[in-house]
Amino acid sequence: VFPPQTDLRTTQTMVGGYQFHPSDSGMQRTLSGYNLFVRAKSIKLKEENPLLPQGELMKRVGEMWREMSHDEKAKWRADGEEGSRVPGSNTFIQQRSSAKPSSYQMFVKAMTVELHQRHPENKQAENMRRIGEMWRELPAEE
């Protein structure tokens, strides 16, 4: 039913509309049995019913999952009989970028704390409005 398993660390792969990218800095995450079941069954249902709207397709897959016994669901874990056959049962997620925050972001963070300490009764929206005014009043950086 599925194409052969590919090494997702070295190959870019398309599986059921999901694109996996290699990532040396990524962290491995095992998908849940439910996620693997949805991936496998939605591909099959879409092939059988190409005109079926996505919402209806997901509704049917959810109903199929709810009707299964606990033992049947356990087979869909990544290390289970069915789940291990689904390509992409392990996927790689890149870690967040460690980009330096902008001067505006640093200003907002500092002023949020300061305004909250000085005026704890103010709502956040009011403080944010004031922070925006304060930022616009600052001289332009060159």
Side-chain angles (χ1 to χ4, degrees):
V1 168
F2 295 104
Q5 190 85 10
T6 56
D7 184 352
L8 299 177
R9 291 168 291 195
T10 58
T11 310
Q12 181 173 317
T13 310
M14 284 293 292
V15 178
Y18 297 94
Q19 191 168 14
F20 299 98
H21 298 278
S23 170
D24 294 333
S25 64
M27 130 182 161
Q28 188 173 8
R29 178 176 72 102
T30 303
L31 297 175
S32 71
Y34 176 74
N35 292 128
L36 294 170
F37 178 81
V38 168
R39 182 175 290 172
K41 294 301 179 180
S42 62
I43 291 170
K44 186 176 179 185
L45 274 176
K46 195 67 172 173
E47 288 173 356
E48 293 171 358
N49 306 293
L51 300 177
L52 190 66
Q54 184 68 20
E56 182 62 29
L57 183 131
M58 294 307 293
K59 182 179 174 184
R60 289 187 187 181
V61 171
E63 289 170 356
M64 292 166 63
W65 178 258
R66 283 188 294 276
E67 291 171 0
M68 292 171 57
S69 70
H70 179 71
D71 290 339
E72 290 174 316
K73 290 177 182 179
K75 293 179 185 177
W76 284 96
R77 291 182 17 190
D79 60 352
E81 184 181 323
E82 295 292 333
S84 61
R85 291 190 228 167
V86 179
S89 58
N90 290 321
T91 187
F92 292 85
I93 299 174
Q94 286 190 332
Q95 297 170 345
R96 284 188 170 187
S97 169
S98 58
K100 182 180 171 188
S102 71
S103 56
Y104 176 72
Q105 290 170 322
M106 292 187 296
F107 178 78
V108 169
K109 187 173 185 176
M111 294 311 300
T112 300
V113 171
E114 186 177 322
L115 285 177
H116 183 69
Q117 288 173 347
R118 281 198 271 161
H119 306 285
E121 71 282 359
N122 287 358
K123 293 186 177 183
Q124 184 175 356
E126 187 176 336
N127 285 342
M128 291 304 295
R129 194 169 15 265
R130 178 67 187 127
I131 291 169
E133 291 168 0
M134 293 165 64
W135 177 258
R136 287 187 290 278
E137 292 170 1
L138 290 174
E141 291 180 1
E142 294 186 18

